[in-house]
Amino acid sequence: MNVELHIKTGFKNNKTYLETGYCTQPFKIANITEDKTKGDLQLMLMNASPGILDNDNYNIKIELSEYSSLELKTQSYQRLFTMHNGATQYFEAHLANYSTFIYMPHPLVPHELSNYSTKNRIYLQKYCTLLWSDILTCGRKLNGEAFKFTKLHSLTEIYFNNRLMIKENLFLEPNLINLNAIGQLENYSHQASLIYVNGTINVNDFSEKINVYLSKQHNIVFGISELQLNGLIVRVLGQKAEQLYDCLKMIALILET
């Protein structure tokens, strides 16, 4: 199944509004903005499908106008079902000057023999703010399906003025790679990454706050790195998807202060 989603924002009277909201089944878009007095827009991406199926191809495009602010939320964990051929997703986002985009989807849960690749391209202009994260899990661990998937590949590229500045390449193929080896997951089963770019403030001031918070969490390891852009990347390894998801949400709150 080929699935399309196109969201385009506008900005008027200091408020962000949905200029274009086009989607095909099984997607639906819901406006969940709670405080209408603020200038940002919050949308929920709803999916009537139980998950991504064999031969699915998702094509998502997000366009933000100048000064607009969009937070795109997901409804639940994204399940990747058993596949013979595989499934793909292409996600493209264009941020105009002074725009803000927040996308922190729920974790991916690959079932046995699932085969999934996603490619994300984000294009930034001057003074943009981007908060982007993803969580990759080992699968349904309690069902005995830990690392029973065929392949899981997530490639994220972030451009500034059409120049590639950040490349995050996560590739898991359990049949070919010893995921418990040094330099791989090293006996952890879940991994999360968060990328934050802000063109108007010094984001490196938040590194110590994030470090203090994560240091108090149990059964995880983490690292925080400065980016070539005015931003940082946080990577966390753990054993539970919910814990990592909560960690990323708390980091997002820290970055908002």
Side-chain angles (χ1 to χ4, degrees), residues 1-4 25-26 49 51-59 79-90 113-117:
M1 178 170 58
N2 294 318
V3 181
E4 301 284 337
Q25 293 183 345
S49 172
I52 296 179
L53 306 174
D54 196 20
N55 297 313
D56 279 355
N57 296 292
Y58 285 61
N59 194 343
R79 298 187 178 274
L80 308 175
F81 286 96
T82 299
M83 303 172 185
H84 297 289
N85 301 314
T88 63
Q89 176 176 285
Y90 180 71
L113 298 181
S114 59
N115 185 342
Y116 176 71
S117 297

Side-chain angles (χ1 to χ4, degrees), residues 134-174:
D134 59 30
I135 299 176
L136 306 182
T137 76
C138 66
R140 298 186 297 179
K141 185 162 54 174
L142 297 181
N143 285 21
E145 290 185 11
F147 299 115
K148 292 293 184 67
F149 55 86
T150 302
K151 184 180 72 173
L152 186 57
H153 187 198
S154 176
L155 176 64
T156 300
E157 297 175 338
I158 300 178
Y159 296 79
F160 179 69
N161 289 336
N162 292 318
R163 179 185 176 188
L164 180 62
M165 303 296 288
I166 302 167
K167 188 171 184 177
E168 176 84 339
N169 192 7
L170 302 175
F171 184 88
L172 302 178
E173 193 168 3

Side-chain angles (χ1 to χ4, degrees), residues 31-48:
N31 189 335
I32 59 169
T33 306
E34 294 184 2
D35 190 347
K36 305 294 184 180
T37 63
K38 292 185 177 180
D40 59 333
L41 175 67
Q42 294 179 325
L43 299 178
M44 175 72 76
L45 180 57
M46 305 173 69
N47 193 338

Side-chain angles (χ1 to χ4, degrees), residues 59-74:
N59 194 343
I60 300 173
K61 186 174 184 179
I62 310 293
E63 296 180 277
L64 273 68
S65 65
E66 285 193 354
Y67 298 99
S68 63
S69 177
L70 170 65
E71 181 176 4
L72 183 62
K73 296 177 176 286
T74 55

Side-chain angles (χ1 to χ4, degrees), residues 167-224:
K167 188 171 184 177
E168 176 84 339
N169 192 7
L170 302 175
F171 184 88
L172 302 178
E173 193 168 3
N175 290 333
L176 297 180
I177 303 171
N178 180 7
L179 298 179
N180 290 322
I182 295 176
Q184 298 296 325
L185 298 183
E186 301 184 18
N187 293 316
Y188 288 94
S189 57
H190 297 60
Q191 61 178 314
S193 62
L194 180 145
I195 297 173
Y196 183 64
V197 177
N198 190 315
T200 59
I201 64 174
N202 184 4
V203 299
N204 297 321
D205 293 341
F206 294 99
S207 295
E208 183 58 31
K209 294 181 181 179
I210 296 172
N211 182 73
V212 170
Y213 165 70
L214 291 177
S215 297
K216 297 178 181 178
Q217 309 308 307
H218 300 290
N219 300 319
I220 66 168
V221 293
F222 66 93
I224 305 171

